[in-house]
Amino acid sequence: MQNKKISLIGAGQIGGTLAHLAAIKELGDVVLFDLVAGLAKGKALDIAQSSAIDGFNTSLMGTDNYVDTANSDVIIITAGVPRKPGMTRDDLLSTNLKIIKQVADGIKDTSPNAFVICITNPLDVIVMALQKYSGIPENKVIGMAGVLDTSRYKYFLSQELNVPISEIDAFVLGGHGDTMVPFPNKTFISGKPLSKYIENGKISHQRLEEIINRTRSGGAEVVKLLETGSAFYAPAASGIEMAESYLKDQKKVLPCAAYLNGQYGQNNIYAGVPVKIGSGGIEEVIEVSLDEDEKKNFDVSINAVKELLDAAKKIDPNLE
Ligand code: APR
């Protein structure tokens, strides 16, 4: 059987980590693409040189030519500029819109059947632009956000409650910005609702609120510490989980930025919702029932995405 092919557009911090994880997990042949050819080639060679030690058998190459990415099964895009301290994800809009147009032009004819995962920020608007620019069907173009946001939320809760992270069942939906929506009423720890932990005094309402806010600014906290770039280990791990579910038809339900066509009362917009990822791409958008408060918070988040989308349409009227 022919190996699967995974192309990573952008060989920076996240791209390099994606390549390393994909290689170690032997998900398929890995192609690292970057405008800076040496960066892509150097990282591919460096990772390949660790294969004898880690015992993986993965072909890796670096390139600045889209022809080398042709017929990819999965494409993960991180091309763009990351945040600097004090910048929001939204500040990246005009630069990353131009970059994503170039990427869409590079992949649309060479890999029209790929499952395309976008990580470049501001996520919800960039993934929508990517879908429109590339014409790749909506069920094959997805954004990575909720997996990461949920992982941060679970981590902070596990630290606070001193429970293993694997015991926490939770998700974060909405846009990948300051208005993202963790759902405390739908959070379970070892099968018990989080509200029981509040009742038992294990965590106060105020601490929970602080954790929710820390989740919302989880990326900014890392940006501030790093000073020279944004998070990359956790974003890469999140992208790989989505790619693996597609490549192995695992049909995992993961919170991702997906195209909404009536679901959650929204039309023609990308936003974070739970989706089932299998060999058909996004096989289902799962509609969880939201109580009044949750719906209000979700709508606030969607409205923030819409505002940014309007700003994007002003920059490029073709996005209408
Ligand atoms: N085509 C291909 N690669 C490009 C292009 C382009 N048009 N423009 C920029 N790049 C490459 C850069 O050369 C760089 O190597 O994208 C890479 C981005 O890597 P980093 O600067 O290290 O950024 P990273 O931390 O990986 O984040 C990338 O993901 O989470 C988001 O906000 C983050 O938008 C940012 C993106």
Side-chain angles (χ1 to χ4, degrees), residues 12-14 34-35 39 78-82 96 99 102 119-121:
Q13 297 284 55
I14 303 178
D34 204 287
L35 283 184
L39 187 67
T78 61
V81 292
N96 285 352
I99 292 175
Q102 290 169 9
I119 298 185
T120 302
N121 276 314

Side-chain angles (χ1 to χ4, degrees), residues 1-297:
M1 206 175 69
Q2 216 193 339
N3 284 350
K4 300 285 187 189
K5 180 168 175 179
I6 301 145
S7 291
L8 309 169
I9 313 299
Q13 297 284 55
I14 303 178
T17 313
L18 285 166
H20 196 196
L21 290 173
I24 287 179
K25 285 175 169 266
E26 296 184 328
L27 293 184
D29 297 343
V30 175
V31 178
L32 262 170
F33 175 101
D34 204 287
L35 283 184
V36 185
L39 187 67
K41 289 181 183 178
K43 288 195 179 183
L45 183 60
D46 188 15
I47 295 168
Q49 288 170 356
S50 73
S51 58
I53 304 157
D54 281 326
F56 58 82
N57 189 7
T58 305
S59 142
L60 287 128
M61 75 169 291
T63 183
D64 61 354
N65 187 341
Y66 276 105
V67 169
D68 294 319
T69 69
N71 302 316
S72 294
D73 295 284
V74 168
I75 294 180
I76 310 182
I77 299 168
T78 61
V81 292
R83 281 193 281 175
K84 297 199 174 66
M87 282 173 91
T88 66
R89 293 184 182 90
D90 302 357
D91 292 335
L92 306 173
L93 182 62
S94 64
T95 309
N96 285 352
L97 260 184
K98 282 189 207 107
I99 292 175
I100 221 64
K101 172 88 174 65
Q102 290 169 9
V103 174
D105 289 343
I107 64 172
K108 65 181 182 192
D109 297 326
T110 42
S111 292
N113 300 317
F115 183 58
V116 184
I117 302 169
C118 181
I119 298 185
T120 302
N121 276 314
L123 193 267
D124 308 276
V125 172
I126 292 290
V127 68
M128 177 130 179
L130 173 72
Q131 193 282 321
K132 295 217 180 290
Y133 289 145
S134 68
I136 295 173
E138 287 97 353
N139 67 319
K140 297 295 254 334
V141 179
I142 191 166
M144 188 294 295
V147 174
L148 171 63
D149 299 329
T150 302
S151 181
R152 287 178 172 149
Y153 177 58
K154 285 182 177 177
Y155 172 69
F156 297 144
L157 269 182
S158 80
Q159 292 286 297
E160 178 70 21
L161 296 169
N162 199 18
V163 295
I165 208 158
S166 55
E167 289 297 302
I168 301 180
D169 190 14
F171 51 84
V172 176
L173 305 185
H176 186 47
D178 300 339
T179 57
M180 67 179 77
V181 199
F183 289 98
N185 292 344
K186 293 185 169 60
T187 302
F188 294 85
I189 297 134
S190 306
K192 272 198 285 181
L194 180 59
S195 56
K196 287 271 174 242
Y197 287 73
I198 298 174
E199 276 169 32
N200 296 340
K202 297 250 166 54
I203 180 170
S204 65
H205 281 291
Q206 194 199 333
R207 270 307 285 152
L208 178 59
E209 203 50 43
E210 282 165 13
I211 285 175
I212 289 173
N213 287 333
R214 193 173 176 200
T215 302
R216 290 193 168 124
S217 57
E221 188 177 348
V222 176
V223 171
K224 197 165 168 219
L225 288 166
L226 293 179
E227 289 184 3
T228 53
S230 53
F232 52 100
Y233 292 113
S238 307
I240 290 293
E241 184 180 27
M242 293 163 65
E244 193 169 19
S245 190
Y246 172 77
L247 289 166
K248 298 184 178 169
D249 194 24
Q250 290 172 332
K251 301 200 189 295
K252 280 190 182 178
V253 174
L254 300 170
C256 302
Y259 185 74
L260 299 181
N261 192 13
Q263 299 94 339
Y264 292 91
Q266 301 297 332
N267 268 304
N268 196 26
I269 192 158
Y270 268 80
V273 292
V275 296
K276 189 195 286 175
I277 302 179
S279 57
I282 297 175
E283 297 185 347
E284 191 184 345
V285 172
I286 315 284
E287 287 200 73
V288 286
S289 60
L290 305 179
D291 66 29
E292 211 174 296
D293 253 13
E294 291 168 342
K295 171 109 184 46
K296 206 172 81 198
N297 288 336

